[in-house]
Amino acid sequence: MIEELKGFDEEVPKWDVALEALTKEEAEKLGRGLRIAEFQRLAAEHAIRFDDIMVTMFELVINKEWRYEQPDGVDQPISRDEVEKLYVGGRLKEADVNEYTGLWTPV
């Protein structure tokens, strides 16, 4: 078995693929990017921590799988440093993402 795994170097995603699928499906259903309110609704509907959804979204933007667009339509890159500053208290809270009022869209 170990011999079979040698050379098997598939990279594990840095985000929750189930949450990625859920949010992508929601964006497709709505025909547009998602806003913080949609993430809050999805968290409540599916008994998922809002924090977990946002961690996934930030990772997707950092890894260029999704993009974040400001309300004026300009893409805004998100850096790992920026995300780490949001986690000063150890867990992301809804108030921490209030400034992200634009759209989160799959690439």
Side-chain angles (χ1 to χ4, degrees), residues 57-75:
M57 299 315 301
F58 282 121
E59 283 297 331
L60 288 166
V61 171
I62 289 168
N63 287 279
K64 299 181 180 5
E65 298 290 326
W66 281 58
R67 63 189 183 91
Y68 174 70
E69 181 182 299
Q70 297 173 355
D72 63 4
V74 175
D75 280 359

Side-chain angles (χ1 to χ4, degrees), residues 17 31 37 49 73 76:
V17 294
R49 285 193 343 235
Q76 175 184 328

